[in-house]
C-alpha cells in the first residue's frame, strides 16, 4: 500500500529536511521503498543530509520544474548503510532540489 507523508512549515529552520531525511532512512532501513522529494527550492538541504554530493545542475528537481528534464532524470538512489538495528532491505530514492542561485531566481521570477 502506498502512503504519502508531507511536511510543511511557513518558515525556514524548523527541521523539515532533517526530519524528512531521517524518517526516509528509518523506513527504508526497515524494508520500505521510499522516495523523498526536496521542495525547499529557496534553501534546499536534502541532498546534503542524504550524502548526495556534486549534483549535476541538469538533474535536479528544480530543472524538472523548469521543464529542462524528465522526472526520471532527477531520481537518485541513495545507498543504505547498516546502522545499529537498521538493515538495508529497503530502497531509498531522492529527488534533490538545486542550490544554484540563478535557478532559484528563475523559479522566483517565472514561477512553476
Amino acid at each position: 500500500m502506498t502512503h504519502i507523508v508531507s511536511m510543511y512549515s511557513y518558515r525556514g529552520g524548523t527541521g523539515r529536511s532533517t526530519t524528512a531525511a531521517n524518517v526516509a532512512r528509518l523506513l527504508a532501513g526497515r524494508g520500505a521503498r521510499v522516495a523523498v522529494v526536496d521542495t525547499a527550492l529557496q534553501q534546499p538541504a536534502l541532498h546534503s543530509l542524504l550524502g548526495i554530493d556534486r549534483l549535476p545542475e541538469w538533474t535536479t528537481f528544480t530543472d524538472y520544474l523548469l521543464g529542462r528534464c524528465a522526472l526520471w532524470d532527477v531520481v537518485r538512489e541513495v545507498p543504505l548503510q547498516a546502522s545499529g538495528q537498521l538493515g538495508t532491505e529497503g530502497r531509498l530514492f531522492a529527488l534533490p532540489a538545486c542550490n544554484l542561485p540563478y535557478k532559484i531566481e528563475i523559479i522566483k521570477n517565472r514561477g512553476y
Side-chain angles (χ1 to χ4, degrees):
M1 175 183 256
T2 302
H3 298 281
I4 297 173
V5 177
S6 177
M7 296 178 199
Y8 172 78
S9 176
Y10 66 93
R11 63 178 199 172
T14 59
R16 288 180 311 268
S17 295
T18 303
T19 301
N22 288 333
V23 169
R25 282 194 185 276
L26 285 170
L27 291 172
R30 292 202 170 105
R33 209 170 84 177
V34 180
V36 60
V37 181
D38 192 354
T39 59
L41 302 178
Q42 294 179 346
Q43 291 183 328
L46 194 64
H47 64 282
S48 296
L49 296 168
L50 294 177
I52 302 171
D53 297 325
R54 297 187 193 149
L55 285 178
E57 62 179 271
W58 59 87
T59 58
T60 66
F61 189 62
T62 307
D63 287 297
Y64 169 72
L65 293 174
L66 292 171
R68 295 182 176 165
C69 64
L71 187 60
W72 295 114
D73 295 333
V74 177
V75 179
R76 300 275 185 133
E77 185 161 8
V78 178
L80 295 176
Q81 298 167 348
S83 170
Q85 305 253 338
L86 297 178
T88 57
E89 303 85 29
R91 294 179 76 184
L92 176 56
F93 301 93
L95 287 80
C98 184
N99 60 352
L100 297 174
Y102 79 93
K103 287 187 183 178
I104 294 168
E105 197 62 34
I106 291 171
I107 289 280
K108 286 172 147 181
N109 292 334
R110 187 176 106 179
Y112 304 120

